[in-house]
Amino acid sequence: SDEHNDVQKKTFTKWINARFSKSGKPPVKDMFTDLKDGRKLLDLLEGLTGKTLPKERGSTRVHALNNVNRVLQVLHQNNVELVNIGGTDIVDGNHKLTLGLLWSIILHWQVKDVMKNIMSDLQQTNSEKILLSWVRQSTRPYSQVNVLNFTTSWTDGLAFNAVIHRHKPELFSWDKVIKMSPVERLEHAFSVAKNHLSIEKLLDPEDVAVQLPDKKSIIMYLTSLFEVLPKQVTMEDIREVETLPRRYKQEKDGEFNVQPAVALEEEQGSSRAETPSTVTEVDMDLDSYQAALEEVLTWLLSAEDTFREQEEISGDVEEVKEQFSTHEGFMMELTAHQSSVGSVLQAGNQLVAQGNLSPEEEFEIQEQMLLLNSRWEELRVESMDRQSRLHDMLMELQKQQLQQLSDWLTVTEERIQKMESQLLAEDLESLQKQLEDHKSLQNDLEAEQVKVNSLTHMVVIVDESSGESATAILEEQLQRLGERWTAVCHWTEERRVKLQEIQLLWQELLEEQCLLKAWLTEKEEALSKVQTSNFKDQTDLSVNVRKLAILKEDMGMKRQTLDQLNELGQDVGQILGNGRASSKIDQDQEELTQRWDSLVQKLEDYSNQVTQAVGSVGMSQVSQKTTAEMLPLKEQVKVKHARQELPPPPPPKKRQIPGDSEAKKKFDAESADLLNWISKSLSAIQATDIKEYKKMRETSNMKEKLKVIKKERVEKSQKFNELKQSGHILLDQMGKEGLSTMDVKTVMEKILSGWKDVVQNLEEVDRKIKYQEDINAYFKEMSELEKTIIEKDVWLKNYASSASQSSAVLKDLCQQELTHLVSQTSQLEHLKTTCKALTSQPMPPNFIRESLNDFLDHFRLTHQKLEECYQQLKK
């Protein structure tokens, strides 16, 4: 019964924790949950066997199964035989089988291990006979105590106290114990055993002072007493137990086979809990048959209700998979119970064949067997029919899935072919449109990915008629679709990379062109202000000659930029492969080249004019030296000859700090490198940005990408600071020399603005990722609470079919469910607080509040139903 399962869970948990406390391991809180991954079971076996057992630390189902299978292997090596208990039963948290596994462990190491010597001496294999013999021998002097079994004989608490008092009479007065209530006696015995014998309180008085206590829990506790108290059992004591009247031996413990002659089990802890049987082929009697029949009919009624409550077969493939899996479990349960049904039918036939029944009893048994057989057969046939229909529906829906994917791939492949046939954009605006179209294709791919993932979990069932060929055909079909899907994904990713690369290069080209155009405009304006004739004096002439010299030097330094732009333009045009776009790029480059050549020619003409002016104005050697810096090569030669006839000139006036030209070149190179990094980083951050929040979204990939950019930013920050400093120095020097600083200022402003954008964008995307992670945590918490409510819904759904349980038991169960639900209130308030914090952010998604409202409605409705159920059962 459920009550016995609860008591066993509590007692076994205490036994495990008593073992763990000795080895310093953390205690078990919920046995069914904590043992699922196998690690705690391996810890327990380490203490029992004294051997170190390796454990897998992963949190997946595979790791849990490996751990549990290692547990089963250790049990097998220690001759603990288990029947019909597999690793999946424990990992899935099957309550009865988990209890069965624990009982097998306790039976081997707690019961048999404690009794192995005396069992060997007496040549007995039945540990319960020995334990009952010892108890009866220990309590014989006490007239108020007559222990006949391991259940009802212990409810008043006298037997526990008598066993202790017989061997340790100095610990308490027997007369005082007699005057206590049953619960007080039980508490007294357990406390004395704890304080004076160091035996843990494995039992609670309220669990023993009931009509039918749990047999296993009492045996386990008595074994602890047996271990520390004097023990002397003789064969006469054993024979006395074997001759006890039968009426005392019919302990209806639904999980063990009642043996002929005695109600003491050979250790049957390994029997599968789902297939109980209280009959055997030997010494069959009507009481045993009726008990077994009632047990099987109770299960059959529950199974019929479970089958009737299954929903109509869905039209959604994922729901049908779920239904198919659920029904498969139901069919396995039917198979597990088949032997029980057969045993009852066999027992009925055996009773009839013995000929010891009255005609009325024989007729009643015949009717009962007919009813049981017909109901069993009807349930079996209907279940097989549902399984067949589920399979047909599932295969049809999966076939539709495959066809839908094939059709989608055909349309997408045509779409890709069309995109491939189109030339790349003629300008950046058109390229942006192509990027948006490509993003649309990526979004469609992501949406289809969900369906593709579903196909990776296809359910395939083949029968004898189809054989392996059906699987082979399906695998071939899936492989072809997989190859097509992979090809589409690869093309889409390669195309995205190509488009983004072109966009970055094109943007860089246009930006550099703008900078060069501005620079040329500035130099053209500067040249237009140079005076080439009608000089007032030598100083006037010297100033204009210096301007020409500076312009010539600037042109020499900038020449590399023009060459790089031409190369970049050729690269972009080649990648684009678009004639009109390439022509436009070539045209822009040609315009810049023509302006450059025009400026060079004009500078040459101005230099010639100034050279002519030198001859007409009697300049000093200083002026001749300055002029020579800007003259054409042939004129420079003439000046050098003339200079030889003059006295040595004084040191020339410094026009710039030595190395200034190198500083400008270095600034240009480093600023170009930093601007390129800023542009690429902004694009990468934009690609990582969260455009739309979701209830659950994986953020680790985003964080990894941002981590790379942040690391680069730290590495670039020193270059950024150095560039700011060198830029300011360069601006100061150029200002002192009367040079134009527009291009340096423009670059500086662009770097400062770009750097600020990178920092702000990183902070913004960081904030969005943190917000998404908060949303993830919020919905994970809500999901955990939702599971609790669904458990209550399931209990309420099964409540109507619990006719076999008394109203008092149902009332207690209902109260437990209600109390547990109410205990979630603190988590509920935390959820509300989290929701309030999330929705206080700017422009929060609507689904945060809506999901909480739906969840609260569900909580209130389930709470109301449980309250109504409890009030109804109280009447």
Side-chain angles (χ1 to χ4, degrees):
S1 69
D2 290 338
E3 290 88 343
H4 284 186
N5 287 344
D6 292 341
V7 173
Q8 285 176 23
K9 177 185 177 183
K10 189 191 303 181
T11 308
F12 292 177
T13 299
K14 290 181 179 180
W15 182 79
I16 293 171
N17 288 338
R19 294 277 175 176
F20 280 175
S21 66
K22 295 176 182 177
S23 56
K25 296 187 182 298
V28 169
K29 295 179 182 177
D30 186 311
M31 189 175 76
F32 297 137
T33 302
D34 293 351
L35 300 186
K36 285 170 69 171
D37 63 5
R39 293 204 289 264
K40 291 284 187 183
L41 282 170
L42 288 170
D43 285 339
L44 178 62
L45 290 178
E46 278 186 349
L48 295 172
T49 62
K51 298 177 181 177
T52 301
L53 301 174
K55 309 172 190 65
E56 295 194 14
R57 295 293 176 185
S59 58
T60 67
R61 180 178 175 83
V62 174
H63 292 109
L65 281 170
N66 288 341
N67 284 331
V68 174
N69 286 334
R70 187 170 289 117
V71 168
L72 300 180
Q73 183 181 7
V74 172
L75 293 178
H76 179 71
Q77 291 168 352
N78 284 273
N79 299 317
V80 181
E81 295 299 330
L82 302 174
V83 181
N84 291 332
I85 297 181
T88 54
D89 299 319
I90 308 304
V91 173
D92 292 338
N94 185 304
H95 291 190
K96 288 191 174 182
L97 296 190
T98 301
L99 291 172
L101 177 72
L102 257 298
W103 177 241
S104 298
I105 292 173
I106 293 168
L107 204 58
H108 184 83
W109 274 282
Q110 173 75 17
V111 180
K112 285 186 176 181
D113 202 45
V114 168
M115 297 187 181
K116 61 184 177 183
N117 292 333
I118 197 166
M119 288 171 70
S120 175
D121 294 342
L122 296 173
Q123 296 184 341
Q124 287 287 319
T125 58
N126 192 319
S127 56
E128 291 186 28
K129 282 184 186 179
I130 295 174
L131 190 60
L132 186 58
S133 301
W134 175 72
V135 169
R136 286 182 60 78
Q137 182 268 336
S138 297
T139 57
R140 194 179 306 280
Y142 301 86
S143 59
Q144 303 91 340
V145 180
N146 183 21
V147 178
L148 301 168
N149 53 43
F150 290 114
T151 53
T152 54
S153 296
W154 302 87
T155 57
D156 61 7
L158 287 171
F160 284 110
N161 282 283
V163 169
I164 298 171
H165 191 265
R166 171 66 185 278
H167 298 289
K168 300 287 183 179
E170 71 279 6
L171 296 180
F172 59 88
S173 166
W174 177 254
D175 292 336
K176 289 184 179 179
V177 170
I178 295 175
K179 297 175 184 177
M180 297 178 183
S181 68
V183 172
E184 289 173 338
R185 291 176 194 143
L186 290 165
E187 178 59 37
H188 178 265
F190 300 154
S191 296
V192 170
K194 167 69 174 172
N195 297 331
H196 298 281
L197 304 177
S198 299
I199 296 174
E200 293 294 328
K201 289 186 177 182
L202 301 176
L203 298 175
D204 291 332
E206 59 270 20
D207 293 331
V208 181
V210 294
Q211 186 175 359
L212 187 66
D214 178 61
K215 181 177 180 179
K216 295 178 195 170
S217 301
I218 290 178
I219 288 175
M220 188 172 70
Y221 188 79
L222 287 173
T223 309
S224 301
L225 289 173
F226 184 87
E227 185 176 11
V228 300
L229 294 174
K231 37 196 163 285
Q232 184 177 357
V233 180
T234 65
M235 284 304 301
E236 287 73 18
D237 298 326
I238 300 288
R239 281 192 284 274
E240 181 197 24
V241 167
E242 291 177 341
T243 57
L244 287 174
R246 170 175 288 279
R247 66 179 178 276
Y248 295 122
K249 290 176 257 159
Q250 296 297 330
E251 296 182 32
K252 297 179 182 178
D253 183 349
E255 298 187 12
F256 292 91
N257 295 343
V258 176
Q259 301 298 313
V262 232
L264 300 167
E265 297 97 330
E266 293 292 341
E267 287 72 6
Q268 297 287 328
S270 60
S271 299
R272 187 176 179 96
E274 277 87 342
T275 56
S277 173
T278 54
V279 297
T280 64
E281 295 182 6
V282 185
D283 195 22
M284 178 53 55
D285 60 39
L286 189 57
D287 289 342
S288 298
Y289 163 76
Q290 290 292 350
L293 175 67
E294 180 182 350
E295 188 177 318
V296 169
L297 283 175
T298 300
W299 166 80
L300 189 58
L301 173 65
S302 174
E304 288 170 342
D305 289 343
T306 301
F307 180 78
R308 303 282 182 264
E309 288 168 3
Q310 292 189 45
E311 297 177 353
E312 286 296 316
I313 296 176
S314 171
D316 177 78
V317 65
E318 293 304 317
E319 290 180 5
V320 176
K321 282 183 186 177
E322 185 83 21
Q323 290 177 327
F324 188 86
S325 175
T326 301
H327 191 68
E328 189 178 32
F330 179 76
M331 291 294 288
M332 290 175 66
E333 186 182 356
L334 288 188
T335 303
H337 281 81
Q338 187 169 354
S339 60
S340 297
V341 176
S343 296
V344 172
L345 293 174
Q346 183 181 359
N349 286 325
Q350 185 180 344
L351 278 173
V352 172
Q354 287 174 357
N356 298 327
L357 303 174
S358 66
E360 293 80 7
E361 290 173 333
E362 184 174 330
F363 176 77
E364 183 180 359
I365 288 176
Q366 294 282 9
E367 288 294 309
Q368 288 170 344
M369 289 194 297
L370 184 63
L371 173 66
L372 175 61
N373 189 60
S374 63
R375 287 178 64 179
W376 163 260
E377 191 62 23
E378 182 181 359
L379 179 60
R380 188 183 67 83
V381 170
E382 288 182 356
S383 298
M384 290 178 66
D385 175 64
R386 178 177 174 85
Q387 188 180 42
S388 176
R389 287 186 291 114
L390 277 167
H391 175 234
D392 292 343
M393 175 62 77
L394 185 56
M395 295 310 292
E396 177 60 29
L397 290 174
Q398 290 183 154
K399 183 179 176 182
Q400 292 175 12
Q401 265 191 312
L402 290 173
Q403 187 58 48
Q404 183 273 333
L405 177 58
S406 179
D407 294 342
W408 184 89
L409 283 170
T410 300
V411 172
T412 305
E413 286 162 349
E414 291 173 356
R415 182 177 174 185
I416 286 173
Q417 192 173 7
K418 185 177 179 181
M419 293 171 77
E420 275 186 320
S421 65
Q422 294 175 347
L423 292 174
L424 288 174
E426 297 179 9
D427 51 44
L428 261 183
E429 186 177 345
S430 302
L431 183 65
Q432 185 60 39
K433 177 65 170 62
Q434 287 184 331
L435 275 166
E436 290 172 2
D437 291 342
H438 193 78
K439 180 63 178 174
S440 173
L441 175 62
Q442 284 183 290
N443 291 338
D444 292 345
L445 269 176
E446 290 176 7
E448 193 67 20
Q449 181 73 59
V450 178
K451 299 174 185 177
V452 173
N453 291 343
S454 174
L455 288 174
T456 62
H457 302 290
M458 288 190 70
V459 178
V460 183
I461 298 177
V462 295
D463 52 31
E464 293 179 359
S465 61
S466 60
E468 295 181 359
S469 61
T471 307
I473 292 171
L474 184 63
E475 285 179 351
E476 184 180 353
Q477 188 177 4
L478 280 171
Q479 183 178 355
R480 286 199 304 270
L481 288 173
E483 289 170 355
R484 291 173 65 190
W485 170 260
T486 302
V488 167
C489 291
H490 282 171
W491 183 90
T492 304
E493 179 60 19
E494 288 173 2
R495 172 86 168 186
R496 179 190 68 80
V497 171
K498 182 177 180 180
L499 288 174
Q500 287 186 344
E501 181 184 0
I502 293 172
Q503 184 187 39
L504 287 172
L505 284 174
W506 210 344
Q507 282 178 341
E508 183 183 355
L509 174 65
L510 294 178
E511 289 168 2
E512 292 298 329
Q513 284 178 341
C514 286
L515 287 174
L516 185 57
K517 285 178 183 177
W519 186 88
L520 285 170
T521 301
E522 179 187 348
K523 299 309 172 188
E524 287 165 349
E525 290 176 357
L527 185 58
S528 67
K529 296 176 182 178
V530 174
Q531 185 178 350
T532 59
S533 60
N534 301 322
F535 301 110
K536 297 176 183 178
D537 50 32
Q538 288 185 355
T539 303
D540 189 17
L541 174 62
S542 180
V543 168
N544 284 278
V545 168
R546 180 186 290 177
K547 288 181 180 179
L548 288 172
I550 292 171
L551 279 170
K552 181 179 180 182
E553 185 178 349
D554 287 348
M555 293 287 286
M557 291 173 61
K558 204 69 174 178
R559 178 71 207 190
Q560 186 181 0
T561 303
L562 180 66
D563 294 339
Q564 289 173 346
L565 264 182
N566 284 325
E567 291 177 7
L568 184 57
Q570 290 174 5
D571 291 343
V572 174
Q574 187 175 358
I575 296 173
L576 280 172
N578 184 318
R580 294 179 64 179
S582 298
S583 297
K584 179 66 169 63
I585 292 171
D586 291 342
Q587 183 181 342
D588 291 342
Q589 291 295 104
E590 183 61 30
E591 287 179 6
L592 282 171
T593 303
Q594 288 176 1
R595 286 184 65 183
W596 178 274
D597 292 342
S598 175
L599 184 59
V600 170
Q601 185 60 50
K602 190 177 291 187
L603 187 58
E604 188 75 14
D605 293 343
Y606 276 35
S607 298
N608 291 332
Q609 292 174 28
V610 171
T611 302
Q612 293 172 7
V614 170
S616 60
V617 179
M619 292 193 309
S620 67
Q621 290 110 339
V622 178
S623 295
Q624 290 176 358
K625 172 75 168 63
T626 307
T627 305
E629 295 174 353
M630 197 53 226
L631 296 180
L633 183 59
K634 57 185 178 181
E635 297 297 334
Q636 288 185 36
V637 174
K638 292 178 183 177
V639 171
K640 286 179 181 177
H641 286 301
R643 190 179 298 150
Q644 290 173 1
E645 302 168 1
L646 299 172
K653 183 178 179 181
K654 288 180 67 177
R655 185 183 60 81
Q656 60 181 21
I657 299 172
D660 180 40
S661 298
E662 291 300 320
K664 182 69 165 60
K665 290 177 183 177
K666 185 179 179 183
F667 175 82
D668 287 342
E670 291 180 349
S671 60
D673 177 67
L674 191 57
L675 282 171
N676 185 45
W677 176 83
I678 288 172
S679 177
K680 290 180 179 178
S681 297
L682 286 173
S683 296
I685 295 170
Q686 184 64 24
T688 311
D689 192 14
I690 296 176
K691 306 295 189 300
E692 180 183 6
Y693 295 110
K694 297 181 180 180
K695 290 185 179 180
M696 292 299 292
R697 180 199 293 269
E698 177 58 47
T699 58
S700 57
N701 287 340
M702 300 178 192
K703 291 169 77 173
E704 279 300 316
K705 291 176 182 177
L706 288 185
K707 187 177 178 182
V708 172
I709 300 172
K710 289 176 182 176
K711 183 180 178 183
E712 290 177 353
R713 190 191 74 178
V714 172
E715 293 169 354
K716 295 284 184 183
S717 61
Q718 185 176 353
K719 289 284 184 185
F720 172 68
N721 292 328
E722 290 174 355
L723 198 62
K724 282 197 299 181
Q725 186 176 359
S726 62
H728 288 308
I729 293 172
L730 191 60
L731 286 171
D732 186 52
Q733 290 173 347
M734 293 173 72
K736 289 178 180 178
E737 291 298 322
L739 300 175
S740 173
T741 58
M742 178 181 280
D743 59 336
V744 177
K745 284 183 179 178
T746 303
V747 172
M748 287 284 291
E749 289 171 1
K750 192 170 182 181
I751 289 173
L752 292 171
S753 173
W755 186 269
K756 183 178 179 182
D757 287 344
V758 169
V759 172
Q760 289 179 344
N761 277 267
L762 277 174
E763 291 175 352
E764 177 63 13
V765 175
D766 259 341
R767 184 193 67 77
K768 288 185 177 180
I769 290 175
K770 174 64 170 60
Y771 189 54
Q772 178 64 62
E773 289 178 336
D774 290 343
I775 292 174
N776 291 353
Y778 170 74
F779 277 99
K780 184 179 180 182
E781 184 178 1
M782 187 183 295
S783 176
E784 292 299 320
L785 284 172
E786 186 76 34
K787 287 179 185 177
T788 301
I789 300 177
I790 291 172
E791 287 175 2
K792 310 310 172 195
D793 291 339
V794 171
W795 187 89
L796 284 165
K797 191 176 182 182
N798 295 332
Y799 155 68
S801 61
S802 304
S804 60
Q805 293 182 324
S806 67
S807 59
V809 172
L810 283 173
K811 186 189 75 171
D812 291 342
L813 290 174
C814 185
Q815 187 177 19
Q816 289 176 16
E817 298 292 332
L818 186 58
T819 303
H820 184 244
L821 184 64
V822 173
S823 70
Q824 309 299 313
T825 305
S826 60
Q827 290 177 268
L828 205 62
E829 291 303 318
H830 182 263
L831 203 63
K832 291 179 183 177
T833 304
T834 306
C835 177
K836 186 176 180 181
L838 288 173
T839 52
S840 65
Q841 297 291 324
M843 298 180 68
N846 294 332
F847 61 75
I848 294 177
R849 171 64 65 185
E850 291 170 356
S851 298
L852 180 63
N853 291 338
D854 292 342
F855 172 76
L856 291 175
D857 290 342
H858 188 187
F859 183 92
R860 283 191 285 266
L861 181 61
T862 302
H863 182 271
Q864 180 183 346
K865 288 181 179 178
L866 279 172
E867 186 66 43
E868 290 172 355
C869 170
Y870 179 66
Q871 295 300 330
Q872 184 179 357
L873 289 168
K874 280 179 67 177
K875 295 179 183 178

